[in-house]
Amino acid sequence: MANAHPANAHPDENRLEKDFSNHGVNGNGASGYDDGSGDALTRLRTAGSVNISPEMFEKLYLSPENRVKGELRKTFGNPTPIALVGFLLSLTPLSCDLMGWRGAGGNGAASTGVFFFFGGVLMIIGAIGEWIVGNTFPFVVFGTFGAFWLSFGATLVPSFNAYGAYVTDPTVAAETMGNPGNPAGLQVPAFNASFAFFLVFMGLICFIFLICSLRTNIVFVTIFLTLVCAFACLAGAYFNLALAYENATNIAAATRASRLVVAGGAFTFVTSLAGWYIFFAIMLASLDFPLQVPVGDLSTMIKGASEKQKSSV
């Protein structure tokens, strides 16, 4: 049986189509339904092709609609939700740790495994999936944050010696000889200042993502806006910790660092709320659920360069 199309569809229409027409069809091309049943034929036509509007495409893939060769989007599932799961299950507990809720703390050290296997693995898988189906922007975003979670988790693992390498005092090093993750390194000014620069440039790349997300939706813009603020606060916290560890009498720097950590946690908590909302929206849209939640589509608000060229011709 050939692919069934809605009567009002046109081959040149600016829509994407996802083909499910092979479901319920046997190897000879005959339908598994009773051909004499009008209801069955209607169901088969409905399942055979689902038109996706530009707004729906943007909601599902967090990217303006783009054309790619082949039928990869008909072959593979949407990789966006699994990447969001990794991001949210890493960031949400970390934001609660940073704010010190219910006595939590330690900069997320209790969630090191989560950073590796949810934040790192799932986001890298999602990034590869986006690359396969030709979605450049979410591919770069998910790949960047997948690497971030792996890097952050590795910093917390003693065997990586990220902070232990800064212990240069022989008397201090002798107390934990053979332990590459000497915790004394966490109080070395150089380590804190160095880690702060990593957060500064994570904030910079999030700012670039923020500008690019202006062609996606309001929720995605909110995510990057709050991430820019969060990384700025956390970078400031580590710079102030470096000052506090350099001069033990600098109580003001220690107080500022503590407050900036809490502020950073608050911003990332808002990021998480926006992320949970858009994850919920994508899952409802993926299942063609009768209830749909808006995400504030911006893909048609700011026209792309190619669209402007077409309109000027």
Side-chain angles (χ1 to χ4, degrees):
M1 180 177 178
N3 291 351
H5 295 272
N8 60 350
H10 190 280
D12 294 331
E13 186 178 5
N14 187 26
R15 289 175 177 269
L16 295 179
E17 186 176 84
K18 190 163 185 176
D19 188 2
F20 298 100
S21 59
N22 289 331
H23 291 256
V25 180
N26 62 28
N28 298 323
S31 171
Y33 298 105
D34 182 3
D35 291 337
S37 171
D39 291 341
L41 182 58
T42 300
R43 287 196 299 270
L44 186 58
R45 283 176 177 170
T46 302
S49 59
V50 179
N51 284 330
I52 304 177
S53 67
E55 293 79 12
M56 182 62 73
F57 181 94
E58 180 276 320
K59 179 187 286 188
L60 289 171
Y61 292 102
L62 300 180
S63 176
E65 181 182 357
N66 62 318
R67 294 283 180 174
V68 293
K69 292 183 179 180
E71 299 183 348
L72 292 174
R73 290 175 183 144
K74 300 178 184 179
T75 305
F76 296 96
N78 182 7
T80 306
I82 195 66
L84 285 175
V85 167
F87 179 73
L88 293 171
L89 289 182
S90 298
L91 185 64
T92 311
L94 177 61
S95 64
C96 296
D97 289 347
L98 294 175
M99 290 186 291
W101 284 1
R102 302 291 297 176
N107 290 336
S111 301
T112 301
V114 177
F115 300 151
F116 278 110
F117 297 105
F118 275 92
V121 173
L122 290 188
M123 294 204 74
I124 294 296
I125 291 174
I128 294 172
E130 298 285 2
W131 173 66
I132 289 173
V133 299
N135 297 329
T136 302
F137 181 53
F139 156 61
V140 175
V141 171
F142 296 153
T144 299
F145 278 95
F148 167 79
W149 289 118
L150 291 174
S151 303
F152 185 62
T155 303
L156 297 173
V157 174
S159 59
F160 279 88
N161 204 32
Y163 45 84
Y166 286 87
V167 180
T168 56
D169 187 340
T171 58
V172 177
E175 297 176 1
T176 55
M177 191 61 68
N179 178 12
N182 193 326
L186 294 171
Q187 299 180 5
V188 176
F191 167 75
N192 288 275
S194 299
F195 191 72
F197 279 113
F198 172 55
L199 299 176
V200 166
F201 291 106
M202 278 301 301
L204 175 60
I205 199 168
C206 284
F207 180 74
I208 295 173
F209 290 157
L210 170 63
I211 301 302
C212 296
S213 68
L214 293 175
R215 291 208 65 225
T216 59
N217 59 67
I218 293 175
V219 181
F220 216 30
V221 170
T222 301
I223 287 174
F224 289 119
L225 177 61
T226 52
L227 281 175
V228 169
C229 296
F231 280 119
C233 289
L234 294 174
Y238 277 93
F239 279 131
N240 276 277
L241 280 175
L243 294 175
Y245 289 133
E246 188 175 21
N247 182 2
T249 62
N250 194 344
I251 306 300
T255 303
R256 281 195 302 270
S258 178
R259 291 175 178 174
L260 286 169
V261 167
V262 174
F267 278 117
T268 55
F269 189 73
V270 176
T271 304
S272 300
L273 292 179
W276 284 110
Y277 180 88
I278 204 167
F279 172 71
F280 182 54
I282 290 174
M283 292 305 295
L284 292 179
S286 299
L287 294 171
D288 195 23
F289 207 75
L291 170 66
Q292 297 291 318
V293 295
V295 294
D297 177 54
L298 298 174
S299 60
T300 57
M301 298 286 289
I302 302 177
K303 289 186 177 181
S306 58
E307 294 179 66
K308 288 185 176 181
Q309 289 177 355
K310 289 180 181 179
S311 61
S312 62
V313 174

